[in-house]
Amino acid sequence: MEEAERIPISQGHALHLCVLIHGLWGNPSHMTFLESTLRKKYAEDRLHILAAKGNTGSFTYDGIELGAERVTQEIEDTLKALEHEGKRITKLSVIGYSLGGLVARYVIGLLYSRGWFSKIEPLNFTTFATPHLGVRSPLLGYHNKLWNLLGSRTLSMSGRQLFTIDIFRDSKKPLLAVLADPRSIFVQALRKFKNRSLYANIINDRSAPYYTTCISETDPFTKLDAININYNPKYSPNILDDSKPFSAKSPSTPEPLYTRLATSSQTLINGLPMTALLTVLIPIGSVVYLVTSGIQSVRSQQRIRLHEAGRAGIGLGSYRIPLMIENARSTVETALAEANAGHVEDRDGDKLDPKTHPSITANDIMNPASSSEITAFPSLALTEEQLLMIKNLDAVGWRKYRVHIHLDRHSHAAIIARRGLKVHPEGEVVARHWLEEAFEI
């Protein structure tokens, strides 16, 4: 990181563009703390920050690909505007929070396919609490099955994609599976980034649980009292140690039966007021949520139809490109063959062939000490598609940072201090770790 800090900067020229992409139901203000943290460290003449705003609020219902096309247009418009001002962007970072991380993975595929990575160096790609495997509950039980059923049908196209019940275009696969396909422009684009990192909450993330945000087929943090958590001393007690995030506790003598019964009874009594309150509030809240989601889903479908008809202000044809490298190459070859009516030499073939991109480089090998220990835990009831996503995404290589939020019952918002440090003070530690350990200028 120190070498990057010493790069000479021309006064008045923003060389590095950092794009921040918010999540479901979100807006640019959700990324305010991350933006302000970046700005405190880097002036405008070193780093230009774009907090994407095209998917504000219920517009996030419209699907990952439509959201990504909006953000890509924002990025391209920004690059052109900066160039008009005499500011030459040479480096790019893309940061996604929650659903925004999936949008970000689609965005970089579009940028890559449109030739931007030959002009701009892809430097940092980071996701915070992003459900890379979707949000389908891998747990058994009727309430989890009910969640999988209702959740997938209350968020329009985004809901179907997050629960992996969609079929994306002619791929015969869900969009998330296409995003993780090694042959796709999305994985090829991801490989281009020098630094790839993700931050995952180990507990209390009710929007995006650990297994999906950390791209893991196990969850060793379901019972914290059964393990010893090992923290990074510099960022304790919020960031776990990279090489050995936890260790198993030695067997202990169980407490006497009467002690366990007394503890359970006291816990039950203490929880009665909250249970009574939730018994009243949950049905009311559920009705409001379903009605609101129904209205927004109808509006979302109307926007999607306008977009597909080319009447949504985005050049549809510009972003509907072949998603697989083989398809892209075939399209180019066909066009050239028709134009030249002769033999065509595929000069870029070797660059695009996945075989020429090693699955894991020396720089990408991650947490070797902890891998075997984590796999000792039982695998979750994931689908075959999710297991394949894990294999493919892990082959790209990530730095995975596990986050322990103590002071907030809903860690999904706290990981980026979505409502500021007064509400989410532990978000400061996460942001500081990101800037010092995972972000390069």
Side-chain angles (χ1 to χ4, degrees), residues 240-261:
L240 275 59
D241 185 275
D242 296 350
S243 59
K244 194 175 181 63
F246 67 90
S247 54
K249 280 186 176 179
S250 57
S252 58
T253 304
E255 293 180 332
L257 177 61
Y258 69 85
T259 302
R260 283 178 280 156
L261 288 175

Side-chain angles (χ1 to χ4, degrees), residues 220-221 227-230 240 244-248 370 373-374 377:
F221 303 103
I227 60 174
N228 292 311
I229 297 179
N230 304 320
L240 275 59
K244 194 175 181 63
F246 67 90
S247 54
S370 62
E373 191 164 8
I374 289 177
F377 286 80

Side-chain angles (χ1 to χ4, degrees), residues 86-97:
K87 298 175 180 178
R88 186 173 61 92
I89 296 296
T90 61
K91 297 179 181 179
L92 174 71
S93 293
V94 181
I95 315 302
Y97 164 61

